[in-house]
Amino acid sequence: MLSLSTLLKEPRIRGGVHAEEHKASTSSQPIVVDFPLPKKLYIPLQQHVGKAAEPVVRVGDHVLKGQLLAHSQGMISAPVHASSSGVIIDIDDYPAPHPSALPIRTVVLETDGEDKWISAPPVDDPFQLAPEEVSLRVGAAGIVGLGGAAFPSAVKLNLGRENRIHTLLINGGECEPYLTCDDRLMQERAAGIIDGIRLMLHGMETGQAIVGIEDNKPEAYAAMRKAGLPYPFIKVEQVPTRYPMGWDRQLIRYLIGREVPAGGRSADVGVIMHNVGTAYAVHRAVRFNQPLVSRIVTVSGGAVASPMNIEVPIGTLISELFAFCGVDQTAAKRIIMGGPMMGDALPHSRLPIVKASSGILALTQEEIRNKAQQPCIRCAQCVSACPAGLLPLEMANRIRNNQLDAAVDIGLKDCISCGSCSYVCPSNIPLVQYFKYASGELAARQQAQHKSEHTRRLMDERNARMDRIKKQQQEEEQARLAAKAERERLQSEQGTLA
């Protein structure tokens, strides 16, 4: 919660909390790049916002690393590539890395141990490519937002070019507790990130970029500043350490000084935001023709004997990461993909790493806040902590009374489910759970309404079609009767003349 002095000092910051960081165990260790190649990779065809990719391979096919496995379906979709070389042994439903663990279509790849790349020559000078070609290459590489949203990056590049965006904002905040994959990436591969930023600017035809890094990452800030010095149009700025500073609207408000309107998009104020991991993936894709087939994952938590950041192939099972890091499965009372504030609790570890898997946490009972809920004391700490400027308690009261429309009227759709309100609540009221339930219920109602409207539209079209058929039949019958009458008349006239 913000104090008055902090609010006066930083008027561009709204809400947020100082959550316990738990980052020290992994932020100072280099990224592990020699993770043993799994014998099998389980590569889901739905790793992005939009329609699932459609497979172009069959069981029995031998593929190379980086080879296309499934092509995108429509504009809001992304292709999927082989994370290593080997043989396709199955294409079937497999549990998804989601709290429901519902099955989704998955390509199972048995690796051959060679990890051999498909032949794809690098580009001599990618800045000679047309801006549209940069976007096409990013799209073909299957790059999505690696901060967790998994929105296809090529779509945002095209959006930036079409909307005359004036600033590309790069999110290096990594405000979630435990997670340090972006921190280590900036420390070790800053030059590649800066190159990716330059390529995205070229693809968007945008003049400047700002990189926002929380001030609890001094080594990452220094590395990015050094790498960006030759390019005055790329500014590297420190931002206060406060969750959820990585939220696009919070960063825009602090670094650009503009407020994204409710219900609007960052493009409405001339800004497009990407993650630092996405920028690095663009660097590898456009300059070296390497699609997104691996990512850096933070493995941490009280049940992890050796917390670390590991670069792993997409499709690696979480259980293999746990074995590599020495996770005590009996002590791990909760497995979370992502951070503890906005991540998803998983039912078990036999689930694959996907493009959006920034971290895997194995938390002990001591790390899980399961305190008894108490009556609200009307302290308004949830109001002060909300980065969207909402009234969490009032929304929760309306949701509890099944007044979802009333909750929408006071801002439910602007809630990002960051959990700040629940974190600061002294009565341990699970406010964010109310909002997630309401959002899901509204989505279900909207889907049912769309289905009802679609059914009604189909019925209207059928009725119209039947009316047309009936009218056509009547016209044909009338024409037939008229023709018959005409024939009879002619026959009568011929009989009279005879």
Side-chain angles (χ1 to χ4, degrees):
M1 185 176 66
L2 295 180
S3 64
L4 179 61
S5 60
T6 303
L7 183 61
L8 294 174
K9 182 180 178 182
E10 299 287 5
R12 291 175 294 176
I13 298 177
R14 177 190 287 136
V17 297
H18 286 290
E20 295 180 43
E21 294 183 1
H22 299 286
K23 294 176 181 280
S25 60
T26 56
S27 62
S28 59
Q29 299 182 43
I31 297 169
V32 175
V33 296
D34 57 353
F35 180 76
L37 183 65
K39 293 182 179 179
K40 291 182 182 179
L41 296 169
Y42 297 80
I43 307 172
L45 301 183
Q46 178 72 66
Q47 300 185 50
H48 49 266
V49 174
K51 292 183 178 180
E54 184 66 23
V56 297
V57 293
R58 295 179 296 181
V59 174
D61 287 353
H62 185 274
V63 297
L64 297 175
K65 186 175 182 178
Q67 184 173 329
L68 182 68
L69 297 181
H71 61 76
S72 57
Q73 294 285 295
M75 186 180 71
I76 310 297
S77 183
V80 176
H81 301 80
S83 307
S84 186
S85 57
V87 178
I88 306 298
I89 61 172
D90 198 7
I91 303 175
D92 203 351
D93 289 344
Y94 192 84
H98 182 269
S100 67
L102 290 173
I104 58 173
R105 207 171 185 192
T106 300
V107 174
V108 183
L109 172 62
E110 186 174 61
T111 59
D112 57 15
E114 297 182 7
D115 205 32
K116 184 179 180 181
W117 276 95
I118 190 172
S119 178
V123 179
D124 292 333
D125 186 3
F127 293 98
Q128 295 300 316
L129 299 172
E132 295 82 3
E133 179 66 18
V134 172
S135 296
L136 287 173
R137 288 173 176 263
V138 169
I143 298 175
V144 300
L146 297 184
F151 190 85
S153 301
V155 177
K156 294 176 74 171
L157 293 181
N158 290 328
L159 181 67
R161 188 170 57 253
E162 294 164 2
N163 288 268
R164 298 296 178 184
I165 297 301
H166 60 70
T167 302
L168 168 63
L169 189 58
I170 301 297
N171 180 11
E174 197 169 45
C175 55
E176 277 269 12
Y178 291 93
L179 303 186
T180 59
C181 55
D182 288 347
D183 184 1
R184 288 308 312 180
L185 183 67
M186 290 186 286
Q187 291 186 50
E188 299 181 34
R189 306 178 188 179
I193 296 172
I194 294 295
D195 186 58
I197 295 171
R198 293 173 59 215
L199 289 168
M200 286 194 286
L201 287 173
H202 178 59
M204 294 170 57
E205 298 183 288
T206 300
Q208 69 167 351
I210 302 177
V211 184
I213 305 173
E214 282 192 334
D215 54 19
N216 64 347
K217 304 173 181 62
E219 295 85 359
Y221 173 72
M224 290 293 290
R225 284 273 294 181
K226 181 179 179 181
L229 278 178
Y231 312 104
F233 50 87
I234 300 178
K235 300 178 181 178
V236 181
E237 304 284 352
Q238 282 189 312
V239 298
T241 300
R242 181 174 291 111
Y243 176 84
M245 202 64 188
W247 181 36
D248 58 349
R249 300 192 180 201
Q250 190 84 302
L251 266 183
I252 290 169
R253 180 182 171 91
Y254 186 83
L255 292 174
I256 309 296
R258 299 287 301 277
E259 185 83 31
V260 179
R265 303 175 301 179
S266 61
D268 296 335
V269 295
V271 179
I272 289 289
M273 190 168 88
H274 286 274
N275 176 265
V276 290
T278 306
Y280 184 72
V282 169
H283 155 73
R284 292 174 65 168
V286 179
R287 189 171 286 278
F288 300 109
N289 257 330
Q290 294 182 356
L292 181 58
V293 295
S294 66
R295 70 153 298 140
I296 300 166
V297 180
T298 301
V299 183
S300 188
V304 183
S306 302
M308 63 185 76
N309 286 292
I310 316 172
E311 186 165 13
V312 298
I314 301 296
T316 301
L317 292 181
I318 294 172
S319 57
E320 299 201 39
L321 286 178
F322 280 180
F324 186 76
C325 297
V327 173
D328 183 352
Q329 297 277 9
T330 59
K333 299 304 180 183
R334 183 171 298 171
I335 301 172
I336 296 177
M337 186 178 77
M341 301 294 282
M342 294 186 71
D344 292 325
L346 303 179
H348 54 80
S349 62
R350 293 283 302 170
L351 301 170
I353 293 294
V354 292
K355 296 175 183 179
S357 305
S358 55
I360 300 295
L361 308 181
L363 304 182
T364 62
Q365 188 62 50
E366 291 73 21
E367 295 173 290
I368 301 172
R369 296 181 62 185
N370 279 334
K371 297 180 181 178
Q373 180 178 335
Q374 302 293 329
C376 174
I377 60 174
R378 311 295 292 184
C379 66
Q381 288 193 47
C382 58
V383 178
S384 300
C386 180
L390 305 178
L391 302 172
L393 179 62
E394 295 302 321
M395 291 196 303
N397 286 337
R398 284 159 174 77
I399 294 167
R400 192 182 294 114
N401 293 313
N402 201 30
Q403 300 174 352
L404 301 189
D405 292 336
V408 170
D409 291 340
I410 60 173
L412 175 62
K413 290 188 176 180
D414 290 319
C415 173
I416 62 171
S417 299
C418 67
S420 296
C421 53
S422 297
Y423 186 86
V424 300
C425 179
S427 297
N428 302 308
I429 301 173
L431 294 165
V432 71
Q433 294 183 22
Y434 284 108
F435 308 145
K436 288 184 177 181
Y437 157 76
S439 298
E441 180 64 22
L442 286 171
R445 291 183 183 181
Q446 187 176 31
Q447 186 177 14
Q449 182 180 358
H450 287 169
K451 184 177 180 180
S452 176
E453 292 174 353
H454 181 63
T455 302
R456 185 168 58 252
R457 185 168 61 252
L458 290 177
M459 289 298 297
D460 291 342
E461 292 174 355
R462 179 186 180 279
N463 292 336
R465 185 169 64 254
M466 296 304 294
D467 289 341
R468 288 196 304 270
I469 293 173
K470 184 178 180 180
K471 183 179 180 180
Q472 182 180 357
Q473 289 174 343
Q474 291 174 344
E475 291 174 350
E476 290 175 352
E477 180 65 16
Q478 291 174 356
R480 187 184 67 80
L481 293 174
K484 180 181 179 182
E486 180 66 16
R487 287 196 303 271
E488 291 176 349
R489 186 184 65 80
L490 292 175
Q491 289 174 357
S492 176
E493 290 179 353
Q494 290 174 357
T496 301
L497 291 174

